[in-house]
Amino acid sequence: MELRQLESFLAAARIGSFRGAARASFVSQPSLSARIRSLERELRTPLFHRMGRGVRLTEAGEAFLPFAERALEFLDKGQEAVRQTLDAQHGTITIGSARTIGTYMLPPTLDRFQRRHPQVSARIRTGRSTDVLAMIVDGVVDVGLSRGLVHSDVHSIYLYDEEIVLVTYPDHPFAETRYARISEVARQPLILYDPSSTYFLLINQACREAGIVPKIETTLDSIEATKRMVALGLGISFLPLSAIRGEVEMGRLTPIDMAEKHRVYLQTHVLVRRAQHYSPPVLAFLELLRELHGCDLSGVVGKAV
């Protein structure tokens, strides 16, 4: 299977015409048609319905299409990796991030990185931690920032612990003493973020270990919305410390201390796919994380492209 065959197949699929695809690819129509026929012989099935002036994909063509697109995408990434070896200060890094990390931790880190490497273009993709792991495994992103997850094809390197803090509105009774027992929390209406998240599961686990059933009144898919509802007095919540600093400074939210054994921490990790070599932008980003968090990157850093 040749690169020109895939390029001709994708052009015809996109344009819906061999003639138009040939024109867009700067080749003759007979040449493009020959490439596609050769690909069909190799796959032992027609990929297009020929319909006079146009073409459309067969069922086999539709099935083959995403794999052809991904093959060319990976080839583009390979070409980009080679270009990056020519100049460590240029290139692209694609970062996948869990949503909370991407909202509160990543922006200042990325700002510092781009001040050091202004010619490196950074692309960001967000999702749940499981989504970030999948993006790393599939090669969609170069570096991931997520909760601690394990996969045989991925280096998962500990960065720091994110404390999950009980917060109330300033006039709540807990705010007077700045302290609450877990049994008292069980009687309060709780507003929690993302019931499918690791954060939510850890809070439920802490409550079960304390022998209580939390009174969950509301679940939301936005930390910002959760903070606003707590500030309005509609309930209390457990939120990442990094997410509430601004509201605490402005007096809109009050952090509440709890017994040591009931504190909840989320580990934050950096993920990279196991490989023999890494591009200079990826290594530069990992070096910055090591400076900021003191993480052990001995198994990764040093494997430059």
Side-chain angles (χ1 to χ4, degrees):
M1 194 172 296
E2 299 178 359
L3 176 61
R4 290 179 178 178
Q5 293 174 333
L6 295 179
E7 290 174 337
S8 296
F9 166 74
L10 291 173
R14 183 178 70 253
I15 296 172
S17 162
F18 284 179
R19 178 178 297 177
R23 188 181 303 116
S25 303
F26 301 101
V27 299
S28 68
Q29 183 176 337
S31 294
L32 182 133
S33 298
R35 292 175 187 174
I36 291 175
R37 284 196 302 271
S38 176
L39 180 61
E40 290 175 324
R41 283 196 299 272
E42 191 169 341
L43 293 173
R44 299 181 181 180
T45 186
L47 298 174
F48 291 96
H49 295 291
R50 277 75 167 174
M51 306 178 300
R53 294 185 178 181
V55 296
R56 64 180 176 85
L57 290 169
T58 62
E59 184 177 354
E62 292 282 3
F64 183 64
L65 179 63
F67 295 96
E69 291 173 333
R70 181 170 291 185
L72 288 190
E73 180 180 327
F74 273 101
L75 284 173
D76 287 341
K77 277 182 168 287
Q79 292 174 340
E80 176 65 24
V82 171
R83 285 193 293 270
Q84 289 173 0
T85 65
L86 303 177
D87 187 348
Q89 296 303 314
H90 291 74
T92 300
I93 182 170
T94 304
I95 302 169
S97 177
R99 292 168 184 158
T100 303
I101 300 169
T103 301
Y104 304 104
M105 174 271 199
L106 181 56
T109 303
L110 191 59
D111 177 64
R112 183 174 297 195
F113 176 75
Q114 297 209 294
R115 287 177 186 272
R116 290 188 184 182
H117 306 280
Q119 302 304 314
V120 175
S121 174
R123 301 169 182 165
I124 310 300
R125 299 193 54 172
T126 61
R128 293 188 175 93
S129 290
T130 51
D131 298 327
V132 175
L133 178 63
M135 286 189 273
I136 287 288
V137 172
D138 293 341
V140 176
V141 300
D142 303 308
V143 179
L145 295 167
S146 76
R147 302 313 174 192
L149 297 173
V150 177
H151 191 282
S152 59
D153 293 333
V154 175
H155 288 292
S156 181
I157 303 145
Y158 169 79
L159 291 180
Y160 62 89
D161 285 333
E162 172 77 83
E163 185 176 2
I164 305 302
V165 181
L166 177 66
V167 292
T168 71
Y169 49 95
D171 293 332
H172 190 279
F174 290 169
E176 293 183 12
T177 60
R178 299 283 184 106
Y179 181 85
R181 296 183 177 86
I182 191 73
S183 58
E184 296 173 318
V185 172
R187 295 192 291 270
Q188 297 291 320
L190 277 178
I191 303 168
L192 294 184
Y193 163 70
D194 194 355
S196 63
S197 67
T198 307
Y199 138 84
F200 188 99
L201 296 175
L202 283 177
I203 291 169
N204 264 334
Q205 179 182 335
C207 291
R208 286 197 304 271
E209 289 174 354
I212 67 166
V213 177
K215 184 181 177 183
I216 301 173
E217 296 278 328
T218 307
T219 58
L220 300 169
D221 62 0
S222 163
I223 284 183
E224 293 300 312
T226 304
K227 291 191 292 186
R228 285 195 291 271
M229 291 189 73
V230 173
L232 289 171
L234 300 177
I236 65 176
S237 186
F238 290 91
L239 289 170
L241 181 60
S242 63
I244 64 168
R245 288 194 174 99
E247 286 77 10
V248 171
E249 290 175 2
M250 291 183 286
R252 295 176 182 172
L253 294 176
T254 302
I256 307 299
D257 287 332
M258 299 190 67
E260 178 68 29
K261 65 179 181 179
H262 296 309
R263 289 186 175 178
V264 177
Y265 295 90
L266 279 175
Q267 288 191 352
T268 300
H269 286 228
V270 57
L271 310 179
V272 290
R273 189 175 173 86
R274 295 183 185 274
Q276 292 297 316
H277 304 287
Y278 299 94
S279 70
V282 168
L283 290 174
F285 187 76
L286 293 175
E287 287 284 6
L288 175 60
L289 293 179
R290 176 158 62 181
E291 288 180 25
L292 294 175
H293 304 290
C295 51
D296 180 9
L297 298 171
S298 56
V300 178
V301 171
K303 297 182 177 181
V305 170

